[in-house]
Amino acid sequence: MPDGRYWNNPETMAISWKRFLILIPGCWVICLSLTAQTEGTAARGWFTRAEMGGTWVQLGALNTALEQKQYGDLSSGIFAFGLASSRHAGRWTLGGNLYNYMLTQVASTRQNVRLGYNYLTLRAGYQVYRRDNEALVLISGGMGAGLSGLKLRDTNRQLAEQHRSLGGLGDLSVSYFAYRDMPDRSGKMLEWGFTAGYMHPLLDSWNMDKLDADNPVIPVSPAGPYFRLSMGMGQWNR
């Protein structure tokens, strides 16, 4: 994993942005190549789901600052949980994701570190494959914003040390969803899904200040690769 110097270097950040943007035409090529594989008539519907899975974030600069304060390192792997909703119209999909997750590290009996994230993204996607109302493959992109909070607690100090940052996010992902009728025959359907994607910080954001005197700006964005397993329910309008 790149350390904090990677995110503070304009040249490496430019390369990272180029790689991120190259994914956009790549996804469009996949859309065009798989369009002919769509089976069944266009459908409309809505679904709401719970999502969970792993996210790998870049915390090298933050861990360096924590070590200087004699706190332990935070892991770069986070177990994330969130809620999502989407509406399908033909081959197009619109929706949003709301996430809240937290990292906790106990360095000793008197010290602990807690880093939390809250963010919302709005998404638009294209169904590159759909089999009637049974399954679909979706390529989607999103943009959003959120906040992070860091709390350092030391029993030798009367008050805990707290820091916050705000930022924007760009997101590209590929998802597979499968659908089954509910047993009660109410017309609703169960949905299972898997998503893999990558998040990237937008502009110069998610910087936490006043944490390290030697490095006044510490990047702490939740950007990085991720995967999600999901389960939800909704309805196709047949």
Side-chain angles (χ1 to χ4, degrees):
M1 288 288 182
D3 60 20
R5 291 171 296 180
Y6 177 92
W7 301 103
N8 292 328
N9 188 318
E11 293 183 1
T12 55
M13 280 297 291
I15 295 173
S16 180
W17 263 110
K18 289 178 182 177
R19 292 175 178 173
F20 180 73
L21 294 175
I22 286 173
L23 290 175
I24 297 176
C27 290
W28 185 248
V29 170
I30 294 175
C31 290
L32 294 178
S33 64
L34 294 180
T35 295
Q37 299 185 31
T38 302
E39 302 174 6
T41 58
R44 295 176 178 269
W46 60 268
F47 287 87
T48 300
R49 66 191 68 88
E51 301 180 341
M52 62 185 68
T55 298
W56 288 267
V57 297
Q58 313 294 338
L59 298 178
L62 176 60
N63 281 331
T64 299
L66 291 176
E67 289 174 0
Q68 293 179 356
K69 289 177 170 289
Q70 299 182 340
Y71 286 92
D73 290 352
L74 288 168
S75 169
S76 61
I78 303 175
F79 183 80
F81 179 83
L83 299 174
S85 181
S86 59
R87 179 169 289 275
H88 306 289
R91 290 178 180 168
W92 295 98
T93 298
L94 297 176
N97 303 74
L98 177 64
Y99 267 84
N100 177 307
Y101 47 90
M102 187 171 295
L103 271 172
T104 300
Q105 192 277 336
V106 179
S108 66
T109 56
R110 66 180 182 84
Q111 288 183 334
N112 66 71
V113 181
R114 179 172 296 177
L115 175 65
Y117 290 102
N118 296 273
Y119 65 85
L120 170 69
T121 58
L122 300 179
R123 314 184 61 82
Y126 187 81
Q127 300 169 25
V128 298
Y129 174 82
R130 188 173 63 80
R131 186 173 66 248
D132 201 10
N133 293 332
E134 299 178 0
L136 64 84
V137 176
L138 177 71
I139 293 180
S140 65
M143 296 181 66
L147 59 89
S148 65
L150 176 69
K151 187 173 184 178
L152 307 177
R153 181 178 294 278
D154 190 326
T155 56
N156 292 334
R157 300 177 183 177
Q158 192 171 18
L159 298 176
E161 185 178 343
Q162 299 188 55
H163 304 270
R164 303 187 191 281
S165 68
L166 302 172
L169 284 171
D171 183 0
L172 284 175
S173 66
V174 178
S175 305
Y176 172 81
F177 296 109
Y179 304 94
R180 295 292 182 271
D181 289 317
M182 293 279 286
D184 59 6
R185 298 184 179 182
S186 62
K188 301 292 190 299
M189 303 190 78
L190 293 175
E191 177 195 77
W192 291 270
F194 174 82
T195 299
Y198 188 87
M199 289 191 296
H200 197 286
L202 296 178
L203 304 177
D204 185 18
S205 58
W206 298 96
N207 293 320
M208 195 167 284
D209 57 6
K210 300 180 181 179
L211 180 62
D212 183 359
D214 296 329
N215 188 5
V217 178
I218 305 294
V220 293
S221 83
Y226 67 87
F227 75 90
R228 304 280 188 262
L229 297 175
S230 64
M231 182 175 181
M233 65 174 295
Q235 183 175 3
W236 288 109
N237 301 323
R238 307 187 184 192

